[in-house]
Amino acid sequence: MLAAAVAEMEAGLIDAELGGQVVKKRVSLAGRGKRGGARTLLAYRQGDRAFFVYGFAKNERDNIDAKELKALKQLAAIQLGWHDTQLAHALHEGTLIEVDHDEPTTEDPARNR
């Protein structure tokens, strides 16, 4: 689901650009689709990297406040500025979890073979 969201974003389907390389993207939740799904906020640089930094169910809250957005913009600047060695260290330490974009999704019929 997360890999599919990034693929959509790479194709230009971004729900909202919030500034400072922070974007909002709706994602579907199992059995609910996007209408009953969640909003995710990402640190995102097209063609390079995407970090899912916050998510919430659409029925829990409408949006984030200005203070939260400011903090997310600061986080985006840090994460998107990481060199490959810093990124590898964060992955190794478990600070980040990599989403395997080649992993089959539940909608992928090949997974059910």
Side-chain angles (χ1 to χ4, degrees), residues 10-67:
E10 286 294 312
L13 300 174
I14 294 173
D15 296 320
E17 294 190 28
L18 305 179
Q21 296 184 303
V22 175
V23 299
K24 180 168 45 174
K25 179 68 178 158
R26 289 183 304 243
V27 296
S28 61
L29 296 176
R32 293 201 226 168
K34 285 187 182 180
R35 292 188 106 183
R39 290 184 172 103
T40 61
L41 300 175
L42 298 90
Y44 175 67
R45 184 179 307 128
Q46 187 166 2
D48 186 23
R49 296 186 177 146
F51 297 92
F52 285 86
V53 293
Y54 187 61
F56 52 94
K58 289 168 57 176
N59 64 353
E60 289 179 8
R61 67 187 293 183
D62 290 327
N63 238 323
I64 59 171
D65 63 32
K67 186 176 178 180

Side-chain angles (χ1 to χ4, degrees), residues 49 82-90:
R49 296 186 177 146
W82 282 344
H83 298 285
D84 289 341
T85 53
Q86 293 168 303
L87 183 58
H89 179 73

